[in-house]
Amino acid sequence: MVILDGKKTSEDIKNEIAKAVKNRKNEGKKTPHLAAVLVGSDGASMTYVNSKVKACEKVGFNSTLIELPENTTEDQLLDEIKDLNKDKNIDGFIIQLPLPKQINEQKVLMAVDPNKDVDGFHPVNVGKMALDLSTFLPATPYGILELLERYDIETSGKNVVVIGRSHIVGRPMSILMSQKRKVGNATVTLAHSRTSNLKEITAKADIIVAALGIPEFLKGDMVKDGVVVVDVGITRVKDDTKKRGYRLAGDVDFNSVSPKSAYITPVPGGVGPMTIAMLLKNTLLACERNES
Ligand code: NAD
């Protein structure tokens, strides 16, 4: 069993990005600048945003964190987005999800300039992704593709099962894996909450991407020997033995699945750090595109 080390791989990618930024600076070109908007004070969201900002600093990007109160109205957030769309200094920006319930998430994501949509959530970018045109790929699926590629994992002709059909992970993952691309050409099954006989489906899978948000859902008796397992789940599970009062759990029961796996991602240290690295990659791409 080989651990797909997202922490190390993401460090490699960040080093490559840092080198590119250094070269840009030496050539007198613009320093990439990512902005992140956080509405409210949800603990997990604050942790994610802060790690994104920290990652920007590490690769030499400029970063701006815009923190808005929990009671921000939809109009106020839309005004903030208008300003970011216009700001020539900002190459790309993200709106940290989830948003408070008074704000329509879809409306907000639609307001982001597709050229600055480094999360790849705008319908224009989702459409381009589905048509295999050059665009910003959503960071989590992009990170998974990159991890599989850097570990030389063959996907062509393989049976891939993606569990979870969210707009940000499961659905784009299923589309990308079926495309004619280096990491792709797979026969994909997209499973979700209404899928029946999931165990029969996962037992035939060569590669499983678990993205459903139910801790330790995928068990050893649901997979075949030699399977490749990518665990996207991150759930905070109460744990009084930890100083912070919780532990992070993936969607895969690592103890029973890992002995049967050829490759498996850990949680933490798997898909999470890859997501941040690919957000940085998209920001660099946005910066390069905006100047041409
Ligand atoms: P979501 O919560 O929006 O949707 C969950 C999906 O799982 C739904 O499509 C649903 O149909 C499916 N599902 C629910 N119960 C199921 C069942 N019993 N069998 C099969 N399918 C079932 O999903 P999301 O936003 O993609 O998040 C999934 C998990 O991934 C969460 O734990 C989230 O925190 C994590 N996540 C991690 C990263 C990262 O960078 N590592 C990024 C995004 C999300």
Side-chain angles (χ1 to χ4, degrees):
M1 182 263 295
V2 175
I3 295 281
L4 293 170
D5 189 342
K7 194 157 185 269
K8 177 181 178 299
T9 309
S10 68
E11 289 301 327
D12 293 345
I13 296 168
K14 282 191 265 184
N15 287 336
E16 291 161 18
I17 296 172
K19 223 181 245 172
V21 173
K22 207 168 158 202
N23 288 342
R24 288 183 63 82
K25 287 181 183 171
N26 288 341
E27 289 164 16
K29 291 181 176 167
K30 183 180 180 303
T31 301
H33 191 157
L34 176 74
V37 182
L38 174 66
V39 187
S41 51
D42 173 71
S45 294
M46 280 165 80
T47 308
Y48 294 144
V49 164
N50 284 329
S51 45
K52 288 168 188 174
V53 169
K54 231 167 94 189
C56 282
E57 286 163 13
K58 206 174 161 223
V59 297
F61 284 7
N62 291 327
S63 64
T64 300
L65 174 58
I66 299 163
E67 291 178 276
L68 302 174
E70 183 76 31
N71 61 358
T72 301
T73 65
E74 189 174 283
D75 283 343
Q76 283 168 333
L77 181 56
L78 290 172
D79 282 344
E80 193 66 57
I81 291 172
K82 264 187 214 152
D83 290 345
L84 288 166
N85 283 343
K86 274 190 277 177
D87 190 337
K88 290 224 162 21
N89 248 320
I90 307 282
D91 297 293
F93 64 97
I94 57 165
I95 314 293
Q96 184 65 43
L97 303 177
L99 291 167
K101 53 183 180 319
Q102 72 274 17
I103 300 176
N104 180 326
E105 198 168 288
Q106 205 51 45
K107 210 166 161 186
V108 164
L109 296 180
M110 294 269 283
V112 175
D113 178 347
N115 294 316
K116 293 191 174 189
D117 169 41
V118 285
D119 258 339
F121 294 164
H122 190 283
V124 165
N125 289 327
V126 177
K128 284 186 174 175
M129 186 242 349
L131 294 171
D132 207 358
L133 300 171
S134 168
T135 185
F136 301 115
L137 297 181
T140 302
Y142 190 12
I144 297 170
L145 295 183
E146 193 75 22
L147 197 54
L148 295 175
E149 180 167 357
R150 289 185 187 231
Y151 275 85
D152 267 331
I153 292 173
E154 182 62 80
T155 58
S156 179
K158 302 292 182 193
N159 282 326
V160 172
V161 175
V162 179
I163 314 174
R165 57 181 161 188
S166 74
H167 292 165
I168 60 168
V169 187
R171 188 169 304 277
M173 195 68 228
S174 71
I175 294 170
L176 291 162
M177 288 299 268
S178 70
Q179 282 175 342
K180 209 169 171 181
R181 55 169 62 233
K182 191 162 176 220
V183 181
N185 286 314
T187 306
V188 181
T189 304
L190 180 56
H192 46 77
S193 52
R194 302 293 179 92
T195 298
S196 47
N197 309 326
L198 181 62
K199 194 170 164 179
E200 279 171 32
I201 297 167
T202 53
K204 291 193 191 119
D206 301 305
I207 300 171
I208 299 174
V209 179
L212 66 162
I214 302 180
E216 283 128 33
F217 175 87
L218 189 79
K219 307 280 186 208
D221 64 354
M222 297 169 75
V223 305
K224 69 174 184 185
D225 282 324
V227 67
V228 176
V229 178
V230 177
D231 188 352
V232 183
I234 315 177
T235 307
R236 287 182 174 196
V237 177
K238 193 173 174 320
D239 185 342
D240 293 331
T241 66
K242 303 272 181 221
K243 220 165 131 192
R244 54 189 182 183
Y246 66 87
R247 67 185 171 90
L248 294 179
D251 289 345
V252 175
D253 178 26
F254 191 87
N255 288 339
S256 64
V257 174
S258 61
K260 296 177 83 174
S261 306
Y263 295 87
I264 187 165
T265 61
V267 175
V271 175
M274 289 302 291
T275 298
I276 295 182
M278 303 327 277
L279 174 67
L280 299 177
K281 208 158 175 177
N282 276 344
T283 306
L284 178 61
L285 178 67
C287 182
E288 288 166 355
R289 278 193 187 161
N290 291 344
E291 72 197 348
S292 63

